[in-house]
Amino acid sequence: MKIITSIILINIIFGSSNSFSQEDSTRASFESQHLFTLSSGISLHTVRDEIMSPLMYRGTKIPLSFMYRFRGIENRHTVLLYYDNTELNSSITKTYNDEAISHYVKNLNLNFEYSFAKKVTTLEDFNTACFLGIRFSGMLNMRNYYFIQGLSHESAEQMTGLGIHVLTETTIQQESNNFLRVEINIPCVSYVLFSERYNANVSEKFDDIDLEKNILWQLFKNGDIVTFNKLFEMQADVSYSFFVSNHIGFALQYRLQYYSFAQYQDLFHARVLNNQFLIGLTVKL
Amino acid sequence: MNNMKRSFSILISFLFFYGCDEMIVGSDPTNTPESNFEIFWKDFDRYYAQFSLRHINWDSVYTLYRPRITPTTSDGQLFNIFSNIVYGINDMHVTLYSPMGDVYWEPLIPASYPSRRIINAGKYVRTGAPQNSVLEYRTCQDPAIGYIIIRTFEGQSEGLSMTDSRYLAIDDILSQWKNMKGIIIDVRGNSGGNGINAETVADRFADQSRVYLYQRQKNGPGKDNFSSWKSMSIEPKGSYQFLKPVVVLTSRATMSSAEMFVMAMQNLPQVTIVGDTTAGGIGNPIFRELPNGWTYRLSTGITADAQGRIMEGVGVFPDVPVLTTSADSANGIDRILEKGIEIIKNSK
């Protein structure tokens, strides 16, 4: 029995190393890659939340993003974590010594994404591979509106979605690992919290929340499954990765995130636009 | 090289979006007198909950004032019009904040109204006792009677616990005062804050779960769009509940969530409310803002007591009505506090 097991193990090991060597010989300049990128830069966050104010609020901040990418021969996996804590101002924000004292918003933006895509075609003339897949994403956009004398109301959207993930990767120079990546993500079905709000205090979803019990769990239970009729969300991403050595590289990234979420019988909308310009350090394994 | 050019052209086309946020999320409403009036009027129309209660025909407000607003209406003229509207609503939770001043309707409190504060404190209360930033506590001259003055229920929630932790000091105070004959809680000058903080304090005096008020919210644009009545309760919480005699001192300056506190306490068997009727404004207010930078506050709810009596514009009646007059004040007499001490002393 031990002999049989040993033979199987040896076969597996040698067999797999053979298959790897065959694979290597056929793809010349491409091997499966694990890319870890830590990025930062500048984000421009723009919000119009009609539940809270008729005015647009916007601000810039330095976000932090961590991305893991697996680049296989036929597929791609991506995990992204994004954090952005921004102070937003409006046309009526009053400041004192450059500090906002009234009519400003403290905005926390957290994102988590996992996407998987499979190669569907290759455009040889353009050195471009096209992928199609799905993306699972979770987003929390929480805002505290400071009106006057430190008095504030809270507003938030939280959405967890499953949607289409379209990705193209263009090799910029043959025989190099440098590539341009363009992706578009559109969630098709989302589970959203904090819905059906009528004003800062009122929503049939949390009017009955018992403050003495677990609020998070009650909020979670009171979510809604929505699709394009209530929530249009889109995220586009263009990044260019170039390597200065076999394992170290840089990534330049532009990311656009937008959603429009209808509240209370579509009477009000929260529209949020987030532009990010990021530069990151990439480690390739 | 072509690929490189294409890459940059794609990047630049995305950069285009960077400057187009107004195109995508929509631009601000114009800052004109007409626009500011329209937003102001419409916000009240959508959110204000007490038109019917206060016998106000809001459409007639539009009919009356809208024609007076023109592109040449000055800020001063607009301020006067808004002020007239705010005063006309007669709701202490309706306030206009502007660089020209704050406008709000006050309950009918005379300029000189000594009932709203402790008079000649040293005569009744010992000094030098430990203090808390929101719950000031010490004993009366009779050390068997505790005295807590709560000047506000303001305080933001921390995390998801909702209660400002400063109010949890009530547990420490009561654990020190287990042997007291009774406690006086003075909210005569308390203008409110966060109702959860009020409830947190009241919970420490509850013998069992008791509904203390009902609220309904304006939850739609129609004039009759209201939620169903929702009850709010207090229940025994904290390490110790003080079930011996308690007197709560009130006045016309006891407002908003301080009135919620009074309603919660009034339902408890060991509690007596002493003083004047409270202000009569609970309302669950929200803030809104205008393109010209002015801010306003309005009530989005209606509150009734545990018996179903509407409290808005009425207030909570004390169990023992007492006023401190100007003459009392001049003579260093706090009539309301004296009555409170007397009730504790005479309790069994």
Side-chain angles (χ1 to χ4, degrees):
Chain A
M1 185 64 184
K2 278 186 180 176
I3 295 169
I4 295 169
T5 311
S6 303
I7 291 169
I8 292 170
L9 276 174
I10 288 166
N11 263 322
I12 288 170
I13 292 164
F14 280 96
S16 60
S17 69
N18 274 345
S19 67
F20 275 126
S21 63
Q22 280 171 5
E23 202 173 85
D24 283 346
S25 65
T26 55
R27 60 196 157 99
S29 64
F30 190 83
E31 292 176 2
S32 295
Q33 298 172 349
H34 299 274
L35 304 175
F36 300 87
T37 304
L38 187 63
S39 303
S40 188
I42 188 167
S43 72
L44 173 66
H45 200 83
T46 309
V47 175
R48 177 191 299 282
D49 184 353
E50 292 166 351
I51 291 283
M52 306 301 290
S53 169
L55 303 176
M56 180 173 72
Y57 279 83
R58 60 174 137 183
T60 55
K61 201 72 175 178
I62 299 171
L64 200 58
S65 165
F66 172 77
M67 183 183 281
Y68 162 73
R69 288 175 186 162
F70 172 76
R71 298 181 76 210
I73 298 166
E74 294 293 331
N75 53 45
R76 298 287 184 268
H77 295 267
T78 304
V79 174
L80 173 81
L81 300 170
Y82 177 86
Y83 164 82
D84 188 348
N85 198 351
T86 314
E87 188 172 288
L88 311 176
N89 293 334
S90 71
S91 57
I92 62 170
T93 297
K94 302 276 194 309
T95 57
Y96 179 75
N97 284 346
D98 293 332
E99 292 287 324
I101 54 169
S102 65
H103 304 288
Y104 67 100
V105 172
K106 285 190 174 170
N107 189 105
L108 173 68
N109 187 17
L110 292 173
N111 283 257
F112 165 79
E113 296 172 20
Y114 165 73
S115 58
F116 168 76
K118 207 155 177 56
K119 189 186 284 183
V120 288
T121 185
T122 303
L123 307 172
E124 299 285 355
D125 292 346
F126 300 98
N127 292 329
T128 298
C130 301
F131 298 82
L132 186 64
I134 59 169
R135 172 175 169 267
F136 173 79
S137 61
M139 177 199 293
L140 172 67
N141 202 335
M142 195 156 74
R143 302 180 290 281
N144 220 346
Y145 280 74
Y146 288 84
F147 290 93
I148 196 163
Q149 297 164 358
L151 297 167
S152 64
H153 290 309
E154 281 185 355
S155 181
E157 291 90 33
Q158 198 286 324
M159 44 204 71
T160 306
L162 195 63
I164 299 168
H165 172 57
V166 179
L167 166 68
T168 67
E169 279 187 5
T170 304
T171 303
I172 300 300
Q173 294 161 301
Q174 290 290 2
E175 309 301 325
S176 83
N177 283 311
N178 301 348
F179 64 93
L180 177 79
R181 177 184 167 107
V182 178
E183 69 175 78
I184 293 174
N185 300 295
I186 300 177
C188 301
V189 182
S190 298
Y191 188 69
V192 297
L193 308 185
F194 311 115
S195 57
E196 290 305 320
R197 283 183 295 143
Y198 183 66
N199 64 40
N201 286 345
V202 176
S203 162
E204 60 187 58
K205 292 293 179 179
F206 48 78
D207 279 352
D208 293 328
I209 275 182
D210 183 345
L211 297 174
E212 305 298 337
K213 292 180 182 163
N214 187 324
I215 297 169
L216 267 184
W217 175 240
Q218 293 178 81
L219 286 174
F220 180 77
K221 279 197 306 186
N222 283 336
D224 279 327
I225 294 175
V226 300
T227 182
F228 299 113
N229 61 331
K230 292 288 268 186
L231 171 67
F232 175 73
E233 188 183 350
M234 197 267 283
Q235 182 244 310
D237 198 313
V238 183
S239 65
Y240 176 60
S241 299
F242 59 98
F243 289 85
V244 292
S245 75
N246 280 341
H247 295 288
I248 302 294
F250 294 95
L252 295 173
Q253 185 181 12
Y254 169 74
R255 193 160 201 256
L256 178 144
Q257 241 183 335
Y258 171 75
Y259 67 80
S260 170
F261 182 40
Q263 294 279 12
Y264 187 77
Q265 301 175 5
D266 299 349
L267 196 60
F268 310 104
H269 286 83
R271 295 188 177 91
V272 175
L273 176 69
N274 188 271
N275 285 283
Q276 303 154 24
F277 293 96
L278 306 175
I279 182 163
L281 179 68
T282 300
V283 175
K284 183 178 72 173
L285 298 177
Chain B
M1 196 60 188
N2 280 340
N3 276 337
M4 198 71 137
K5 279 183 184 168
R6 193 154 45 84
S7 310
F8 283 112
S9 62
I10 290 172
L11 268 172
I12 285 167
S13 64
F14 272 89
L15 281 171
F16 171 76
F17 287 103
Y18 189 81
C20 297
D21 51 358
E22 285 194 20
M23 204 171 72
I24 295 172
V25 303
S27 55
D28 280 346
T30 54
N31 179 15
T32 61
E34 298 103 311
S35 167
N36 285 310
F37 180 86
E38 292 287 346
I39 294 170
F40 180 82
W41 185 88
K42 196 166 190 177
D43 274 358
F44 274 85
D45 192 51
R46 276 179 171 161
Y47 303 124
Y48 188 67
Q50 300 180 12
F51 286 133
S52 171
L53 205 63
R54 295 175 187 279
H55 310 291
I56 294 168
N57 182 337
W58 192 241
D59 293 332
S60 71
V61 169
Y62 188 93
T63 308
L64 180 65
Y65 289 108
R66 180 62 185 87
R68 301 186 192 179
I69 315 281
T70 67
T72 57
T73 300
S74 69
D75 280 354
Q77 290 167 324
L78 192 65
F79 178 77
N80 286 337
I81 288 170
F82 281 8
S83 298
N84 287 339
I85 295 172
V86 166
Y87 285 131
I89 294 173
N90 276 6
D91 179 347
M92 52 167 279
H93 270 139
V94 174
T95 310
L96 172 69
Y97 306 88
S98 86
M100 274 166 273
D102 297 346
V103 179
Y104 52 93
W105 177 87
E106 267 195 302
L108 298 173
I109 303 176
S112 167
Y113 178 66
S115 294
R116 74 166 81 202
R117 61 184 172 272
I118 185 168
I119 307 290
N120 198 5
K123 178 182 173 185
Y124 303 100
V125 176
R126 294 186 175 196
T127 55
Q131 299 289 305
N132 170 282
S133 57
V134 290
L135 306 172
E136 296 177 35
Y137 62 104
R138 55 193 80 179
T139 61
C140 291
Q141 292 301 345
D142 178 349
I145 302 174
Y147 174 81
I148 303 173
I149 183 165
I150 310 175
R151 298 182 196 277
T152 180
F153 283 112
E154 290 287 358
Q156 293 288 330
S157 59
E158 294 170 7
L160 293 175
S161 69
M162 304 301 282
T163 301
D164 184 324
S165 59
R166 293 175 298 167
Y167 293 89
L168 295 173
I170 189 68
D171 286 329
D172 293 334
I173 298 168
L174 296 183
S175 64
Q176 291 169 38
W177 284 359
K178 284 181 182 176
N179 295 322
M180 289 283 185
K181 184 173 174 59
I183 295 175
I184 294 170
I185 302 176
D186 190 343
V187 291
R188 283 178 287 179
N190 189 320
S191 56
N194 185 343
I196 300 298
N197 296 328
E199 208 172 87
T200 296
V201 177
D203 283 335
R204 272 65 189 173
F205 298 90
D207 58 334
Q208 64 185 62
S209 177
R210 290 172 188 270
V211 171
Y212 69 95
L213 64 76
Y214 294 92
Q215 268 188 337
R216 67 194 309 205
Q217 309 292 339
K218 181 85 165 44
N219 67 352
K223 287 185 169 45
D224 299 322
N225 289 150
F226 281 93
S227 67
S228 55
W229 289 99
K230 181 195 168 195
S231 65
M232 293 177 74
S233 306
I234 55 168
E235 56 188 60
K237 283 190 184 158
S239 52
Y240 172 72
Q241 290 81 47
F242 192 90
L243 304 179
K244 294 183 196 176
V246 174
V247 168
V248 177
L249 309 184
T250 59
S251 80
R252 291 298 290 172
T254 303
M255 300 176 181
S256 195
S257 54
E259 295 180 87
M260 294 170 71
F261 175 75
V262 175
M263 281 193 269
M265 295 296 282
Q266 194 167 35
N267 266 0
L268 300 174
Q270 82 275 29
V271 175
T272 308
I273 310 297
V274 175
D276 201 356
T277 304
T278 63
I282 295 160
N284 206 14
I286 60 168
F287 289 88
R288 302 287 297 175
E289 60 195 6
L290 291 172
N292 65 0
W294 298 0
T295 306
Y296 45 99
R297 183 174 69 163
L298 56 99
S299 305
T300 63
I302 298 175
T303 304
D305 70 5
Q307 287 71 43
R309 295 173 296 206
I310 302 288
M311 290 289 109
E312 307 293 348
V314 180
V316 185
F317 296 114
D319 301 315
V320 181
V322 183
L323 287 175
T324 301
T325 63
S326 297
D328 292 333
S329 176
N331 293 319
I333 297 169
D334 188 330
R335 196 68 70 187
I336 297 174
L337 179 54
E338 280 188 359
K339 189 67 183 176
I341 293 169
E342 180 194 325
I343 289 170
I344 299 278
K345 279 187 172 172
N346 293 337
S347 62
K348 293 176 183 172

